């Protein structure tokens, strides 16, 4: 049947089919990770409800507490003066478990079917998010319950990121990966926004529903993932992407007919057909230390540690900061905090677009980090002077803080997971992604913990800590930025396209 069609017509039909499946995978993985972040966000919204100014609340007629009790409306055990430390412990239970589990998750992600692994993780994550909310309806007032639930949720949520990045990496080559993944990575901010808005509906009433509803949605998405996720293009007879280091002997000769897209697809399909008839040797999954030896993995991992420290401190503490400094209600603070995530969407897309155009992933991250430091200082100093300045600065801060974080966890991770030093072995994507995001998650755990410890001394000190972390993240990329600048000089002197170093 294929020989009866002209090559151009056959290629057009095949390309359309490939594009349709690629779009479907992008949409499905986008929704999957939106749910993961949606289930993480409610705790930051509910914090100001667990401990609040009871003088502004109307005491119920049937309330049995003492009239001198100024914390009658807070939720025990968070009704004590050390509530910030206790809330920080709940945050840290999730984040430490997530950081530890991430290093293990990547190893499993390379060796287990992604569809089963991801579906099970989503079902369990939905369950534990639901159980946290049921603590309200079951009238649970012991700290260990919320800590244990957060630890379990942190562990099972590590199934998400390595799996979705691996799946997207399986379907897309480097070409426009930065832009595609920049747009796709907006799921992080979209999930945060949805989590904030859903939690805000019930935060001033039955706050347990702020967790129950996202938990049910996440579990439902787990079932959809099991039914519809496609791990590899070959599973549906589509063309696998061309990664770094794949054998293309005539790659530098565009006039060679063997280098045409049509012949590449023919070669790929012939390989798939051959493997379906004869057993082909699968490349071995890369080891943890083997992944660390890939150029750039260590630098980007350590950079992400400090970049994610800043991002997650905003994620978990921004609503409480707005509530304390600007004296907004819990719902108003939660709604306003979504602007930070809206800026993150813009920042992630711009970072991907610029890094694709310049082929300078490290330089793009470094410039955004340099600009983020003074912007955070200005937001803390002038951001609460008026609603307009607050909105504008939140959006700008969100873009500059989340842009490098988004680029490193998506396009950079996929680039390094398919680095040319691997000689075409794509069995490193999940491990490399887990190492980078796992290291970043250590910073994500440290940030909210430090914020909880430092905030009693004043919010100014929290922002000084964030600015210091931002500067350290920038410094860790200096060597890679220098290499990219050298590569640009060589490219300009030769008058040829930039190539990866």
């Amino acid at each position: 049947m294929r020989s009866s069609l002209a090559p151009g017509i056959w290629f057009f039909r095949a390309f359309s089919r490939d594009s349709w499946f690629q779009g479907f995978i992008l949409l499905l993985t986008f929704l999957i990770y939106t749910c993961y972040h949606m289930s993480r966000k409610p705790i930051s919204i509910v914090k100001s409800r667990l401990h609040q100014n009871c003088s502004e609340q109307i005491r119920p007629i049937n309330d049995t507490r003492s009239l001198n009790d100024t914390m009658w409306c807070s939720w025990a055990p968070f009704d004590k003066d050390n509530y910030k430390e206790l809330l920080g412990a709940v945050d840290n239970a999730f984040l430490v478990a997530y950081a530890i589990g991430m290093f293990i998750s990547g190893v499993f992600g390379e060796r287990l079917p992604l569809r089963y692994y991801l579906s099970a993780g989503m079902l369990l994550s939905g369950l534990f998010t639901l159980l946290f909310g049921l603590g309200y309806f079951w009238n649970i007032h012991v700290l260990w319950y919320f800590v244990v639930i957060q630890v379990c949720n942190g562990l099972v949520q590590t199934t998400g990121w390595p799996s979705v990045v691996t799946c997207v990496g399986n379907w897309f080559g480097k070409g426009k990966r930065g832009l595609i993944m920049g747009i796709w990575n907006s799921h992080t901010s979209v999930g945060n926004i949805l989590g904030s808005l859903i939690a805000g509906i019930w935060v001033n009433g039955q706050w347990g529903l702020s967790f129950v509803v996202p938990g049910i949605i996440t579990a439902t998405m787990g079932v959809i993932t099991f039914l519809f996720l496609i791990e590899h293009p070959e599973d549906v007879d589509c063309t696998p992407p061309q990664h770094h280091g794949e054998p293309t002997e005539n790659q530098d000769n565009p006039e060679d007919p063997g280098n045409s897209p049509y012949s590449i697809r023919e070669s790929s399909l012939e390989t798939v057909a051959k493997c379906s008839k004869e057993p082909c040797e699968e490349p071995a999954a890369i080891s943890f230390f083997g992944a660390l030896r890939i150029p750039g993995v260590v630098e980007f991992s350590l950079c992400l540690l400090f970049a994610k420290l800043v991002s997650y401190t905003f994620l978990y503490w921004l609503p409480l900061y707005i509530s304390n400094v600007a004296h907004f209600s819990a719902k108003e603070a939660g709604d306003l905090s979504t602007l930070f995530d809206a800026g993150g969407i813009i920042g992630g897309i711009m970072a991907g677009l610029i890094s694709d155009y310049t082929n300078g992933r490290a330089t793009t991250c470094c410039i955004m980090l340099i600009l983020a430091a003074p912007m955070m200082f200005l937001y803390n100093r002038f951001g609460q002077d008026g609603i307009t300045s607050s909105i504008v600065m939140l959006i700008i801060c969100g873009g500059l803080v989340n842009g490098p974080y988004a680029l490193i966890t998506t396009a950079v991770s996929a680039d390094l997971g398919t680095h040319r030093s691997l000689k075409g072995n794509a069995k490193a994507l999940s491990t490399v992604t887990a190492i980078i995001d796992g290291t970043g998650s250590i910073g994500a755990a440290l940030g909210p913990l430090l914020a909880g410890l430092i905030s009693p001394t004043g919010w100014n000190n929290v922002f000084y800590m964030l600015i210091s972390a931002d500067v350290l993240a920038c410094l860790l990329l200096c060597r890679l930025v220098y290499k990219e600048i050298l590569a640009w000089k060589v490219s300009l002197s030769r008058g040829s396209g930039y190539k990866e170093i």
Side-chain angles (χ1 to χ4, degrees), residues 129 162 206 215 252 274 381 408 437 439:
T129 303
Q206 296 180 321
D252 295 329
K274 182 180 178 182
R381 179 65 180 85
I408 293 172
D437 199 49
T439 307

PDB file of all heavy atoms in Angstrom, residues 129 162 206 215 252 274 381 408 437 439:
ATOM      1  N   THR A 129      -4.248  12.904  49.352  1.00  0.00           N
ATOM      2  CA  THR A 129      -4.789  14.270  49.388  1.00  0.00           C
ATOM      3  C   THR A 129      -6.192  14.257  49.987  1.00  0.00           C
ATOM      4  O   THR A 129      -6.550  15.120  50.797  1.00  0.00           O
ATOM      5  CB  THR A 129      -4.838  14.859  47.968  1.00  0.00           C
ATOM      6  OG1 THR A 129      -3.521  14.818  47.391  1.00  0.00           O
ATOM      7  CG2 THR A 129      -5.304  16.306  47.999  1.00  0.00           C
ATOM      8  N   PRO A 162       9.461  12.474  36.688  1.00  0.00           N
ATOM      9  CA  PRO A 162      10.308  11.693  35.781  1.00  0.00           C
ATOM     10  C   PRO A 162       9.499  10.998  34.689  1.00  0.00           C
ATOM     11  O   PRO A 162       9.959  10.876  33.549  1.00  0.00           O
ATOM     12  CB  PRO A 162      10.987  10.669  36.709  1.00  0.00           C
ATOM     13  CG  PRO A 162      10.905  11.260  38.059  1.00  0.00           C
ATOM     14  CD  PRO A 162       9.619  12.035  38.087  1.00  0.00           C
ATOM     15  N   GLN A 206     -15.929  24.764  55.247  1.00  0.00           N
ATOM     16  CA  GLN A 206     -15.462  23.394  55.453  1.00  0.00           C
ATOM     17  C   GLN A 206     -14.161  23.193  54.666  1.00  0.00           C
ATOM     18  O   GLN A 206     -14.159  22.672  53.552  1.00  0.00           O
ATOM     19  CB  GLN A 206     -16.540  22.401  54.999  1.00  0.00           C
ATOM     20  CG  GLN A 206     -17.817  22.481  55.817  1.00  0.00           C
ATOM     21  CD  GLN A 206     -18.863  21.478  55.337  1.00  0.00           C
ATOM     22  OE1 GLN A 206     -19.024  21.241  54.148  1.00  0.00           O
ATOM     23  NE2 GLN A 206     -19.581  20.882  56.284  1.00  0.00           N
ATOM     24  N   GLY A 215      -8.256  15.829  45.447  1.00  0.00           N
ATOM     25  CA  GLY A 215      -7.891  14.419  45.567  1.00  0.00           C
ATOM     26  C   GLY A 215      -8.722  13.536  44.645  1.00  0.00           C
ATOM     27  O   GLY A 215      -8.202  12.635  43.981  1.00  0.00           O
ATOM     28  N   ASP A 252      25.459  16.046   8.264  1.00  0.00           N
ATOM     29  CA  ASP A 252      25.999  17.344   7.895  1.00  0.00           C
ATOM     30  C   ASP A 252      25.850  17.651   6.411  1.00  0.00           C
ATOM     31  O   ASP A 252      26.279  18.691   5.946  1.00  0.00           O
ATOM     32  CB  ASP A 252      27.491  17.422   8.278  1.00  0.00           C
ATOM     33  CG  ASP A 252      27.677  17.354   9.777  1.00  0.00           C
ATOM     34  OD1 ASP A 252      26.777  17.830  10.498  1.00  0.00           O
ATOM     35  OD2 ASP A 252      28.711  16.826  10.219  1.00  0.00           O
ATOM     36  N   LYS A 274      11.617  -4.576  11.875  1.00  0.00           N
ATOM     37  CA  LYS A 274      12.606  -5.619  12.091  1.00  0.00           C
ATOM     38  C   LYS A 274      12.569  -6.138  13.517  1.00  0.00           C
ATOM     39  O   LYS A 274      12.648  -7.326  13.777  1.00  0.00           O
ATOM     40  CB  LYS A 274      13.994  -5.076  11.761  1.00  0.00           C
ATOM     41  CG  LYS A 274      15.116  -6.113  11.913  1.00  0.00           C
ATOM     42  CD  LYS A 274      16.454  -5.495  11.559  1.00  0.00           C
ATOM     43  CE  LYS A 274      17.576  -6.505  11.752  1.00  0.00           C
ATOM     44  NZ  LYS A 274      18.901  -5.914  11.452  1.00  0.00           N
ATOM     45  N   ARG A 381       9.665  45.473  49.252  1.00  0.00           N
ATOM     46  CA  ARG A 381       9.739  46.866  49.723  1.00  0.00           C
ATOM     47  C   ARG A 381       8.513  47.673  49.317  1.00  0.00           C
ATOM     48  O   ARG A 381       7.988  48.458  50.116  1.00  0.00           O
ATOM     49  CB  ARG A 381      11.017  47.507  49.160  1.00  0.00           C
ATOM     50  CG  ARG A 381      11.214  48.966  49.554  1.00  0.00           C
ATOM     51  CD  ARG A 381      11.428  49.123  51.036  1.00  0.00           C
ATOM     52  NE  ARG A 381      11.613  50.520  51.403  1.00  0.00           N
ATOM     53  CZ  ARG A 381      10.611  51.364  51.634  1.00  0.00           C
ATOM     54  NH1 ARG A 381       9.345  50.949  51.535  1.00  0.00           N
ATOM     55  NH2 ARG A 381      10.857  52.612  51.973  1.00  0.00           N
ATOM     56  N   ILE A 408      14.949  24.357  33.352  1.00  0.00           N
ATOM     57  CA  ILE A 408      15.858  23.299  33.806  1.00  0.00           C
ATOM     58  C   ILE A 408      15.124  21.974  33.960  1.00  0.00           C
ATOM     59  O   ILE A 408      15.626  20.916  33.567  1.00  0.00           O
ATOM     60  CB  ILE A 408      16.533  23.700  35.133  1.00  0.00           C
ATOM     61  CG1 ILE A 408      17.468  24.891  34.905  1.00  0.00           C
ATOM     62  CG2 ILE A 408      17.331  22.530  35.716  1.00  0.00           C
ATOM     63  CD1 ILE A 408      18.037  25.480  36.180  1.00  0.00           C
ATOM     64  N   ASP A 437      15.666  16.929  39.287  1.00  0.00           N
ATOM     65  CA  ASP A 437      14.521  17.389  40.082  1.00  0.00           C
ATOM     66  C   ASP A 437      14.651  16.961  41.537  1.00  0.00           C
ATOM     67  O   ASP A 437      14.175  17.660  42.434  1.00  0.00           O
ATOM     68  CB  ASP A 437      13.219  16.847  39.482  1.00  0.00           C
ATOM     69  CG  ASP A 437      12.005  17.629  39.952  1.00  0.00           C
ATOM     70  OD1 ASP A 437      12.047  18.875  39.879  1.00  0.00           O
ATOM     71  OD2 ASP A 437      11.030  17.008  40.416  1.00  0.00           O
ATOM     72  N   THR A 439      17.497  16.736  43.259  1.00  0.00           N
ATOM     73  CA  THR A 439      18.391  17.719  43.881  1.00  0.00           C
ATOM     74  C   THR A 439      17.660  19.033  44.109  1.00  0.00           C
ATOM     75  O   THR A 439      17.805  19.668  45.153  1.00  0.00           O
ATOM     76  CB  THR A 439      19.624  17.948  42.991  1.00  0.00           C
ATOM     77  OG1 THR A 439      20.247  16.704  42.691  1.00  0.00           O
ATOM     78  CG2 THR A 439      20.626  18.859  43.685  1.00  0.00           C
TER      79      THR A 439
END
